[in-house]
Amino acid sequence: MADLHNKSVAQLAAMLKNKEVSAVEVATRFLARMGGNPHTAFLDVNSEVTLAQARASDNKIAAGTAGPLEGVPIAHKDIFVTKDFATTAGSKILKDYRSPFDATVVARLRDAGMVTLGKLNCDEFAMGSANENSAYGAVSNPWDTTRIPGGSSGGSAAAVAARLTPAATGTDTGGSIRQPAAFCGITGIKPTYGRASRYGMVAFASSLDQAGPMARSAEDCALLLSAMCGPDLDRDSTSLNVAKEDFSRTLMQPLQGMRVGIPTEFFGQGLASDVRSAIEAALKQLQTLGASLVPIALPRTELSIPVYYIIAPAEASSNLSRFDGVKFGHRAKEFADLASMYEKTRSEAFGQEVKRRIMIGAYVLSHGYYDAYYLQAQKIRRMIADDFQQAFNQCDVIAGPVAPTTAWKLGDKSDDPLANYLADIFTLPASLAGLPGMSMPVGFGESGMPVGMQLIGNYLQESKLLNVAHQYQLHTNHHTQLPGGAA
Ligand code: GLN
């Protein structure tokens, strides 16, 4: 089957179930494709582990005890701990680290029958927008290898786009699923904060971190999201106590009467004209499908940047204090006393951006500055969430760009943290509010790079986002385009 690697999750699941192909054949195809590690997308692979899992899937299929996604391959962002693969979080401080257990999300996808292909490159501790902050090298964008894939789930997005895996997990703290999905022409969804368990996800900013699937279509994301979400109350204190949902059930609802809110603030001066035109064409398509467009206001959109870049580093500075050379990971070889061991370990093994954020975080939390920065930021965060509730009085979902531009050139912004931060403007508001958000491909910009449209829903309304995206994808073919190198 020459085009096996080009099949969707839904197609592979059906083919495996009908025994048209075996899990071992599927796994073997993808292992062959990732040989040589194109785009530096993978950080750890182990074909023995993968093939053993595939054989177990074939046995289950033969025995009639298969899970819903039995034998379908997936790869995980290297932020999820895994017992069979190393987990580095893209950092030197966790080089060769082995977790004694699997993250809940990883375990749930295994329970559904998925076969693990390996671990995917990402920005160090998921801090970044270009995947250039990985200690293990930058990832290239399969659509143009001189460009970044987006970040921080850049390895995930590049691997799916290049057909090195049919699906991947990602995490999104301020846009890290949506933005790389947009930059690589794939589909990705960050569910409502608390839907997916954070147990076993290396923590960056705990009040924002959320896991989600990245694949080619909304149909595939619905299958994956259904398998990975659900309460995990004993292990994650912020896990929501809402029943598991089958997100595939509502994909076929017609869009008649759907009110799509268009935030004026998302279409201002900073938006590149090629991104704007692709988004406008997609909005027209939604209208053709029966949706109506409603102008709405998200007046504090601009404030989401300073607010996020206070809250996220504050939480990061606290979360990252556990990497001290004592419990796990790297420890400096030479030191005089305990304090110098901490200092040397952390200075040697954290990258620039991580250090920058720890310093900012410690500063905004320090006595005398807490009220001025951190507390203020928390107040504005609440107002941003309230603005969304106002908006959802007028509309069912919100649509706009994911990012102001398409993927930039490798190196272009690598020395300019502020330029990276500014590019997060459209993804940060939903993150701060804890709302579900997704990205779907809606065309190509002037440079031939993919453009993603963002859909934001109210709490627990992932099904609406997936419904809109699936209906759009039934009538368009942007999500089925192949980057040159992936044929
Ligand atoms: N780009 C944002 C940051 O650097 C978001 C990253 C993320 O969502 N993990 O923090």
Side-chain angles (χ1 to χ4, degrees):
M1 224 163 298
D3 66 341
L4 202 53
H5 59 272
N6 207 14
K7 300 282 184 207
S8 67
V9 170
Q11 287 169 326
L12 287 170
M15 290 167 70
L16 284 152
K17 193 166 162 226
N18 301 331
K19 304 194 181 74
E20 289 166 44
V21 66
S22 72
V24 168
E25 281 174 86
V26 176
T28 307
R29 167 64 59 88
F30 284 102
L31 287 172
R33 282 185 71 75
M34 65 167 88
N37 202 10
H39 311 294
T40 328
F42 278 86
L43 292 184
D44 195 21
V45 290
N46 182 334
S47 56
E48 270 169 45
V49 168
T50 301
L51 290 171
Q53 291 186 3
R55 276 193 296 274
S57 284
D58 282 332
N59 291 339
K60 285 195 180 159
I61 293 167
T65 55
L69 298 172
E70 197 69 57
V72 180
I74 188 162
H76 296 294
K77 182 177 183 179
D78 206 16
I79 282 283
F80 294 93
V81 301
T82 42
K83 55 179 191 304
D84 295 326
F85 299 88
T87 301
T88 68
S91 182
K92 233 172 34 189
I93 211 155
L94 281 176
K95 189 167 182 294
D96 300 326
Y97 172 69
R98 286 265 162 180
S99 162
F101 65 96
D102 280 334
T104 296
V105 160
V106 171
R108 292 215 166 134
L109 292 166
R110 281 288 298 135
D111 289 345
M114 299 197 88
V115 169
T116 316
L117 289 174
K119 302 296 288 293
L120 295 161
N121 205 342
C122 58
D123 282 303
E124 186 174 4
F125 292 107
M127 298 175 188
S129 310
N131 215 119
E132 290 177 309
N133 297 335
S134 166
Y136 302 97
V139 173
S140 58
N141 190 313
W143 291 92
D144 173 350
T145 52
T146 67
R147 290 175 189 271
I148 55 121
S152 65
S153 314
S156 305
V160 172
R163 311 304 192 244
L164 307 178
T165 177
T169 51
T171 61
D172 191 311
T173 302
S176 279
I177 288 176
R178 290 162 283 163
Q179 186 255 30
F183 283 5
C184 290
I186 65 162
T187 307
I189 182 164
K190 170 196 101 76
T192 306
Y193 179 79
R195 268 270 202 205
S197 171
R198 288 185 298 109
Y199 182 70
M201 247 168 73
V202 178
F204 161 15
S206 307
S207 76
L208 294 152
D209 296 344
Q210 203 35 213
M214 301 171 77
R216 281 152 46 197
S217 64
E219 184 187 25
D220 283 359
C221 283
L223 288 168
L224 297 158
L225 193 65
S226 307
M228 57 193 271
C229 289
D232 192 19
L233 307 175
D234 294 342
R235 291 169 154 173
D236 173 1
S237 60
T238 57
S239 170
L240 288 174
N241 195 5
V242 288
K244 266 180 103 63
E245 201 170 317
D246 178 359
F247 297 105
S248 304
R249 231 168 17 94
T250 37
L251 294 176
M252 286 310 291
Q253 286 183 10
L255 298 190
Q256 254 74 32
M258 178 80 74
R259 297 164 306 164
V260 179
I262 312 297
T264 328
E265 296 78 3
F266 280 37
F267 291 85
Q269 271 183 3
L271 184 64
S273 61
D274 56 343
V275 176
R276 179 192 300 269
S277 336
I279 301 287
E280 282 171 354
L283 293 173
K284 280 220 178 71
Q285 179 72 42
L286 293 182
Q287 279 180 306
T288 314
L289 295 172
S292 57
L293 306 185
V294 191
I296 56 152
L298 293 174
R300 293 176 183 87
T301 296
E302 259 181 32
L303 290 178
S304 67
I305 298 178
V307 167
Y308 173 89
Y309 281 100
I310 288 170
I311 293 173
E315 295 184 18
S317 74
S318 162
N319 273 325
L320 269 54
S321 64
R322 76 192 63 180
F323 301 103
D324 56 4
V326 176
K327 296 186 244 5
F328 29 52
H330 175 81
R331 176 183 299 171
K333 291 253 167 346
E334 284 162 34
F335 46 86
D337 52 18
L338 185 63
S340 91
M341 192 275 281
Y342 289 156
E343 210 176 294
K344 282 194 151 179
T345 298
R346 290 165 67 86
S347 359
E348 282 171 16
F350 280 142
Q352 283 263 321
E353 182 62 24
V354 171
K355 287 180 186 162
R356 183 177 298 122
R357 298 211 190 182
I358 292 172
M359 284 192 279
I360 295 172
Y363 179 80
V364 298
L365 289 175
S366 61
H367 183 73
Y369 293 106
Y370 182 93
D371 290 352
Y373 296 108
Y374 187 72
L375 200 64
Q376 269 313 90
Q378 290 290 21
K379 288 181 184 166
I380 301 169
R381 180 179 190 177
R382 163 54 59 195
M383 291 173 178
I384 291 171
D386 290 346
D387 288 345
F388 275 108
Q389 291 314 306
Q390 288 288 325
F392 283 123
N393 288 328
Q394 297 160 262
C395 63
D396 302 297
V397 299
I398 293 171
V402 172
T405 63
T406 56
W408 53 89
K409 292 265 186 192
L410 282 155
D412 257 12
K413 298 186 185 178
S414 50
D415 296 330
D416 189 350
L418 274 183
N420 279 275
Y421 301 171
L422 290 173
D424 292 339
I425 183 160
F426 302 135
T427 49
L428 298 178
S431 295
L432 289 164
L435 294 167
M438 79 178 284
S439 170
M440 64 166 174
V442 293
F444 296 87
E446 276 154 20
S447 51
M449 297 307 287
V451 175
M453 181 157 94
Q454 182 175 207
L455 296 167
I456 301 170
N458 211 343
Y459 298 111
L460 300 177
Q461 306 220 321
E462 292 82 359
S463 57
K464 272 190 194 160
L465 306 183
L466 291 161
N467 174 211
V468 172
H470 181 63
Q471 290 303 310
Y472 175 83
Q473 291 181 339
L474 283 178
H475 294 90
T476 53
N477 64 0
H478 306 298
H479 64 294
T480 61
Q481 304 296 308
L482 268 171

